[in-house]
């Protein structure tokens, strides 16, 4: 069996997500039914029922790839490979380009596959660690410069970032690209929370558009709120990387689910409607958290992010996040995501892309009032 560490975050969700009554930590936006999705496009319901349940193209349905390419300014539909969620492209890309002994850099804390998959291949993984400046999470470009060297093969990024919500500015993005270009390093950016910037001025280009050795991963799961489709993709202008991914995909999933590919196309052709709806939910939830954290500023500290549906909250009363999350779950049936699943003590992750937040935050407050005040 491949030697890979258990995925702490996904283990946590597997164990508790479906039994907790309340949750304030999800990273996906509010989902919808197939019926609601099909209503977004005239004729889509009939077409869905006529979807052919044969194998589809390994690279992904050409019509879906055209719909995905509309998200990008430079990447063409032939430069996209559709995959199962975002997890599969992280796995395939890493196995496509890395060999044992290669050196890579990853923003830490991170969504664990960005670190554990390269480690399982035998790579040396260096962490570009988050810093907190006045309570605000930041990744300092000079820190990255210290880590980069002639052996660096890939810089793994996640922008907007899970779990901190941090997003690079355009200037920071350019600085990363220039640094990578100097050494011929591939920049792999997990962009699953892209297009959910809280204001348009925070948006930055996709790395696959901005850099010839840039690889972007996107997915239907997060900003679009459709994780049940299990449709994601990898986009890059670098053809050799795509070719290697295609060879590996024939060993993992061969092709995608035909009904899901069709439904993802409907969603993407109506993506502005879906994004507006989801951003509306985020904008409604953020003031609830702002009020909550202001009220309990002696217990928690957070920085409202510029983008995405998640943030990382510092516990000021204790640093045993795993114990705290366990008690909140046991006593109030509220799920929070402890920093321990990221190897980052004293923090927990919150989410604000779901409709349930007002009620579920109240349940969390009951716990706080009964135990911490
Ligand atoms: C940063 C990041 N990348 C990838 C994924 C995996 O996405 P999917 O469930 O669509 O495979 C997640 C899910 O939480 C994530 O947060």
């Amino acid at each position: 069996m491949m030697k890979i560490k258990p995925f702490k975050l996904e283990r946590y969700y597997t164990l508790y997500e479906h039994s907790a009554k309340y949750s304030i930590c999800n990273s996906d936006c509010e989902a919808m039914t197939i019926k609601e999705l099909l209503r977004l496009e005239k004729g889509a319901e009939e077409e869905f029922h006529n979807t052919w349940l044969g194998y589809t193209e390994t690279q992904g349905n050409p019509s879906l790839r055209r719909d995905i390419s509309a998200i990008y300014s430079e990447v063409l539909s032939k430069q996209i490979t559709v995959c199962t969620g975002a997890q599969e492209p992280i796995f395939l890309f890493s196995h496509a380009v890395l060999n044992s002994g290669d050196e890579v850099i990853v923003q830490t804390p991170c969504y664990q596959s960005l670190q554990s998959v390269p480690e399982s291949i035998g790579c040396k993984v260096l962490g570009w660690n988050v810093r907190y400046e006045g309570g605000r999470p930041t990744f300092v470009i000079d820190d990255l410069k210290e880590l980069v060297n002639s052996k660096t093969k890939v810089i793994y990024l996640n922008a907007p970032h899970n779990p901190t919500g941090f997003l690079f500015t355009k200037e920071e993005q350019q600085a990363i690209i220039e640094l990578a270009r100097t050494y011929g390093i591939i920049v792999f950016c997990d962009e699953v929370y892209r297009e959910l910037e809280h204001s348009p001025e925070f948006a930055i280009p996709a790395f696959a558009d901005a850099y010839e050795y840039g690889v972007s991963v996107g997915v239907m799961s997060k900003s679009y709120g459709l994780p049940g489709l299990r449709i994601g993709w990898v986009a890059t202008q670098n053809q050799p990387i795509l070719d290697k991914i295609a060879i590996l995909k024939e060993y993992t999933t061969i092709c995608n689910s035909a009904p899901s590919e069709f439904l993802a196309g409907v969603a993407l052709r109506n993506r502005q409607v879906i994004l507006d709806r989801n951003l509306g939910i985020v904008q409604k939830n953020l003031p609830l958290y702002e009020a909550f954290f202001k009220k309990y500023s002696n217990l928690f500290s957070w920085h409202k992010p510029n983008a995405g549906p998640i943030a990382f909250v510092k516990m000021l009363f204790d640093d045993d996040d795993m114990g705290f999350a366990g008690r909140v779950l046991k006593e109030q049936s509220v799920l929070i995501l402890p920093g321990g699943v990221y190897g980052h003590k004293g923090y927990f992750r919150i989410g604000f892309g779901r409709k349930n937040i007002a009620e579920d935050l109240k349940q969390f407050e009951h716990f706080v009032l009964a135990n911490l005040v």
Side-chain angles (χ1 to χ4, degrees):
M1 188 178 152
M2 181 179 57
K3 291 268 184 294
I4 191 160
K5 288 180 187 153
F7 201 130
K8 289 188 189 158
L9 179 154
E10 296 299 349
R11 280 274 89 217
Y12 204 81
Y13 270 105
T14 299
L15 292 174
Y16 307 118
E17 182 183 13
H18 297 284
S19 55
K21 271 202 222 144
Y22 311 100
S23 171
I24 56 165
C25 65
N26 296 95
S27 63
D28 48 352
C29 287
E30 188 76 18
M32 62 175 78
T33 62
I34 293 176
K35 201 172 189 171
E36 284 171 297
L37 177 59
L38 289 173
R39 262 198 230 125
L40 295 178
E41 193 169 275
K42 203 162 169 270
E45 186 168 355
E46 174 73 11
E47 226 185 300
F48 180 56
H49 287 146
N50 288 324
T51 300
W52 185 252
L53 290 175
Y55 282 105
T56 65
E57 284 88 344
T58 295
Q59 201 185 345
N61 181 302
S63 147
L64 174 58
R65 283 191 278 119
R66 268 195 302 280
D67 292 330
I68 294 171
S69 71
I71 298 171
Y72 300 98
S73 62
E74 303 298 322
V75 171
L76 307 171
S77 61
K78 65 179 183 190
Q79 296 169 324
I80 289 163
T81 296
V82 185
C83 296
T84 301
Q87 195 72 286
E88 190 187 21
I90 295 170
F91 190 88
L92 294 183
F93 164 81
S94 303
H95 281 271
V97 305
L98 295 175
N99 294 303
S100 179
D102 284 343
E103 203 166 297
V104 307
I105 295 169
V106 62
Q107 280 175 287
T108 50
C110 65
Y111 185 69
Q112 194 182 324
S113 41
L114 300 170
Q115 173 172 357
S116 290
V117 175
E119 278 175 355
S120 74
I121 296 168
C123 298
K124 183 172 172 193
V125 180
L126 305 177
W128 180 15
N129 298 326
V130 67
R131 285 180 190 245
Y132 281 88
E133 286 173 359
R136 179 182 170 271
T138 183
F139 288 87
V140 178
I141 301 294
D142 281 342
D143 290 350
L144 178 64
K145 284 187 184 156
E146 301 248 310
L147 296 169
V148 165
N149 64 69
S150 56
K151 285 185 280 176
T152 312
K153 193 140 182 198
V154 177
I155 300 172
Y156 281 89
L157 304 175
N158 174 206
H161 182 248
N162 178 357
T164 64
F166 173 83
L167 177 59
F168 299 109
T169 61
K170 284 189 191 125
E171 292 71 29
E172 287 166 334
Q173 180 184 38
Q174 264 318 308
I176 294 168
I177 291 172
E178 275 155 35
L179 183 63
R181 194 175 273 137
T182 310
Y183 290 89
I185 300 169
I186 299 168
V187 177
F188 176 93
C189 192
D190 176 330
E191 295 169 354
V192 302
Y193 301 107
R194 196 161 170 260
E195 292 198 290
L196 208 65
E197 295 77 23
H198 300 172
S199 173
E201 81 252 25
F202 300 130
I204 64 170
F207 274 85
D209 281 331
Y211 179 40
E212 62 282 7
Y213 281 99
V215 180
S216 293
V217 162
V219 81
M220 299 309 297
S221 308
K222 308 295 182 180
S223 303
Y224 305 109
L226 300 169
L229 291 179
R230 309 307 303 133
I231 292 286
W233 58 88
V234 57
T236 179
Q237 298 178 59
N238 189 295
Q239 191 59 41
I241 293 176
L242 275 185
D243 292 343
K244 287 185 203 159
I245 285 174
I247 286 167
L248 288 177
K249 195 185 165 194
E250 285 152 13
Y251 276 104
T252 53
T253 55
I254 302 178
C255 72
N256 308 297
S257 147
S260 284
E261 286 198 324
F262 175 80
L263 294 169
V266 175
L268 287 172
R269 289 191 292 280
N270 294 280
R271 81 181 208 277
Q272 215 44 61
V273 175
I274 296 176
L275 289 169
D276 288 349
R277 163 199 183 261
N278 293 347
L279 196 56
I281 295 171
V282 165
Q283 302 289 22
K284 217 166 144 185
N285 286 331
L286 282 171
L288 303 177
Y289 280 115
E290 280 181 296
F292 180 89
F293 290 124
K294 197 166 164 205
K295 192 165 166 190
Y296 299 106
S297 60
N298 58 326
L299 297 173
F300 308 106
S301 116
W302 86 313
H303 178 80
K304 185 163 76 83
N306 290 343
I310 47 177
F312 220 25
V313 178
K314 186 172 166 59
M315 297 158 51
L316 303 176
F317 50 95
D318 183 6
D319 70 355
D320 178 16
D321 50 271
M322 295 300 282
F324 178 62
R327 288 199 305 280
V328 175
L329 185 63
K330 187 157 175 258
E331 288 173 34
Q332 205 67 39
S333 200
V334 178
L335 192 67
I336 58 170
L337 188 67
V341 303
Y342 295 92
H344 202 94
K345 230 174 152 39
Y347 284 76
F348 60 91
R349 190 184 82 184
I350 53 166
F352 26 87
R354 297 272 190 99
K355 280 187 178 161
N356 60 297
I357 296 302
E359 170 58 23
D360 294 17
L361 189 56
K362 259 190 220 145
Q363 297 296 330
F364 181 63
E365 186 168 17
H366 287 320
F367 179 90
V368 170
L369 287 170
N371 294 276
L372 299 177
V373 177

